[in-house]
């Protein structure tokens, strides 16, 4: 058994969590959660369980734009993706070019790197010759 220290990121309280884990079984998650202490509410242990067994993250980045009034459009994933897939998704983000105009909320890439999320524009880009 091991004890892992985590800070819950679900709300601004940032409760320090002490998570007791044991090694997982082959083919499954690396660790299994046995107990969680230090939570300020019931969401803490749920988050700790996910963070230990299947950590996920959302990504915010930028994609190159051709013919726009700005060369980059900011994007984010519309759902969290497995932590282990971030490198592949970032590689696809770097390889993509889109053409202006772009509206906030436009889906610029569906299922990057085979994940179940989409990359959504979070900034408006006008055509460079638009008045
Ligand atoms: S355990 Fe509950 S109160 Fe504490 S940071 Fe997480 S969500 Fe907030």
């Amino acid at each position: 058994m091991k004890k892992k220290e985590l800070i819950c990121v679900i709300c601004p309280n940032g409760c320090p969590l002490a998570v007791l884990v044991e090694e997982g079984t082959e083919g499954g998650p690396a660790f299994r959660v046995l107990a969680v202490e230090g939570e300020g509410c019931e969401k803490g242990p749920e988050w700790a369980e996910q963070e230990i067994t299947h950590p996920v993250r959302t990504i915010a980045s930028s994609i190159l734009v051709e013919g726009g009034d700005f060369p980059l459009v900011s994007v984010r994933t519309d759902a969290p993706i497995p932590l282990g897939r971030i490198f592949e998704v970032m590689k696809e983000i770097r390889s993509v070019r889109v053409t202006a105009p772009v509206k906030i909320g436009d889906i610029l890439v569906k299922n990057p790197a085979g994940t179940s999320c989409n990359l959504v524009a979070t900034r408006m880009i006008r055509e460079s010759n638009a008045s």
Side-chain angles (χ1 to χ4, degrees), residues 8-17 38-45 47:
C8 180
V9 299
I10 298 295
C11 87
N13 287 342
C15 294
L17 304 177
E39 73 274 20
C41 76
E42 75 282 354
K43 291 179 185 171
W47 175 81

Side-chain angles (χ1 to χ4, degrees), residues 6-29:
L6 300 175
I7 303 292
C8 180
V9 299
I10 298 295
C11 87
N13 287 342
C15 294
L17 304 177
V19 187
L20 194 61
V21 300
E22 68 175 6
E23 300 285 331
T25 52
E26 197 172 321

Side-chain angles (χ1 to χ4, degrees), residues 20-21 32 36 51 58 72-73 78 80 83 94 104 123:
L20 194 61
V21 300
R32 196 166 77 87
V36 179
E51 185 66 9
T58 54
L72 294 166
V73 57
D78 63 1
L83 189 60
R94 284 193 294 272
I104 293 173
R123 174 188 176 137

Side-chain angles (χ1 to χ4, degrees), residues 56-59 76-82 112 115-120:
V56 294
R57 296 290 184 274
T58 54
I59 295 177
R76 65 167 173 74
T77 52
D78 63 1
I81 61 168
T115 61
S116 57
C117 75
N118 299 306
L119 291 171
V120 178

